[in-house]
Every structure is written in structure tokens, then in C-alpha cells.
Amino acid sequence: MPAVMAKGDLKPDNRAVRLLWLLLALLWIAGCDPPADAVTLAPTPDSPQPPPAAAESISLVAWNVESGGSEPAVIAQQLSAFAEYNIIALSEVSPDNFERFCDGAASQFATVNSATGRGDRLQILYDAERFELVRQQELDEYRRNTLNNGTHRSPLIVHLRDRQSGVEFQVMVNHLARGNVELRNQQAVGLREWARDQTLPTITIGDFNLDYDFLTKRGNAAFVEMLRDNVWQWVEPAELIDTNWSDSDGDGSDNYPDSMLDFAFVAGPARDWQSVSRVIVRDGDFPDDETTSDHRPIALELSISTPLPAP
């Protein structure tokens, strides 16, 4: 028959347990090092820790405003809806409207204007409270590839630095040739080779006249050259929407339905950023009239991670 212990027989063991816990507590207070295989639950205040990563976004919108085919006062008013974007890239801008369009966007925007393009120039508006302009440039050619033969627009580039995070990147706005196929192909090759040599995160956005067809999923020869060697990455919209209305024969129908002329591309380190683009559709935008643009804007959102400064 098993022996039965009396209740009093438990007291010595309970006292031993209490003494053991007291000893462990004293050792902890005295600052004894934990065993080598102990799990550290939290860092000590003096332990240097890497700064956390901050999710940061940069938003852009590009729009061909159809100089000569729209009313500048209407375009300026419509630009006020884009005040939430950090960068606005415009094409087909009359030099008479540079200031008007900048004022129409928002008070915090500064403007960089192209010197080429005659009456159809390029303009980049950027949030000057957030970004510092490091450099601006227009490219007439690159590696013997003509980007402007004197009658078109040279690509306009801004190099920007985020005042808070210190992130630097460059944005190029483009409006490639429409009627001159040979020049457009040279422009695409030149832009690809230029992007190949860049070390900064690089974005290009605008009207490229690449004639991308939704049904065949193909563009013209310049589209092929632009994407050759995977230097540029097209940020393809999740929903493909026609970006241009063309009714040259006046029959009330779009001559080029289900196609795109306006694009956003990234190159260099910007390829590692999360990117999303979309075509902005507004009520009554197509077909356009004599006061509004025959293009729809295209938006680009970039999300990057940068280390926060250590406290």
C-alpha cells in the first residue's frame, strides 16, 4: 500500500522553493549576466538599434494639355484638382501659360520650364516645400541619337532631393514626335541609352506616342525600342483606358479606340520601388471640346522605404 504523507511533511519543500526564488531574484538585482543561451526579451536602453524604415510615397501626374486646342483658363482650373500630387508634368504648354498653370496648381509649387518646343513646350511643377531642386536639364541628343531635331521638344529633366528624408531622384517629362516616325524611334533609343547610364532613381512620364493597342498588346517600333534590354520598366496601369481622343474625320467616334499614347516608366533604383499607375477619367472628358484637352492625365504613385534618422 502506498505511503500517505501528512500535510506537515510538505512544509520543508515549500520553504526550499521560496528560498530558491528569493535567491534568483537577488541574483537578478545584483546584475548577474544571464546564461549564454538565454533569450533576450527586450534590448537594454544603451543598446544601439538600427533605425526603423519609413514608408514614403511620391505621387506624380502627367498631362498633355493640348496647347492651341484647349482654353488655358479651363486647364488652369482643372489643374487645381491635382494639388494633392507632389509633381505635375505637363506637355504641349504655350510659354504664355507657364505662370498661369503653376498658379492654378497650388501655392507650394515651383516650376521648371523647357526652352524648346516653340508653342508646345514641357513644364514640371514640383512641391517646393517638400523637394529641393538640385539640377535641371534639357537633352537634345544622347549617344548620337537625336532627341530634338530643332522643331520638337527636348526631354526636360529635374533632379530633386527630399528635404526631410534626403532621398534624391530625377524626373523626366517627354513628348515624343508624332508624325516623324524616324525621329520618334531615335528618341526612344536615346532615352533608353540615357537611362542605362543613370545611377539615380529615374522616372519618365508623359506623352510618348507609342500607340499601344489593348487588343494586340503591342506598340509601335518606338515602344519596342523603349523597352529593349529591360532598361526602362513600364508601370502598366491595372486597368487599360484610352488616353487620347482623336476624331480627325468628324464622325463623332475615336479614330484610335482602346489605345494609349501616355505612359510612365521607371529605371535604375526606382525599379525597386513599389509603383502603381492609373489613367484619370473625369466626367465628360471624352470627347473633348475646344476648351478641354484631348488627352487624359496619367498618375503614378511610388512607395519607397528609407531609414529614419536615429534619435
Side-chain angles (χ1 to χ4, degrees), residues 60-134:
L60 305 89
V61 63
W63 192 20
N64 181 327
V65 296
E66 195 189 2
S67 174
S70 61
E71 175 55 49
V74 173
I75 298 298
Q77 189 277 327
Q78 292 177 328
L79 283 172
S80 65
F82 299 149
E84 64 189 52
Y85 291 90
N86 305 132
I87 299 165
I88 303 173
L90 303 177
S91 54
E92 284 199 28
V93 180
S94 166
D96 296 334
N97 293 319
F98 282 144
E99 184 176 353
R100 181 200 291 260
F101 291 167
C102 185
D103 292 342
S107 60
Q108 76 269 22
F109 281 98
T111 181
V112 175
N113 311 320
S114 73
T116 62
R118 300 180 178 181
D120 290 337
R121 301 195 187 185
L122 302 174
Q123 181 177 21
I124 297 178
L125 309 174
Y126 67 94
D127 184 343
E129 294 180 358
R130 177 174 176 184
F131 301 113
E132 173 190 356
L133 177 64
V134 178

Side-chain angles (χ1 to χ4, degrees), residues 223-241:
F223 178 82
V224 174
E225 291 298 342
M226 192 76 180
L227 293 181
R228 191 183 299 279
D229 297 339
N230 204 31
V231 176
W232 286 111
Q233 175 179 297
W234 175 26
V235 185
E236 182 178 349
E239 182 180 4
L240 294 175
I241 298 174

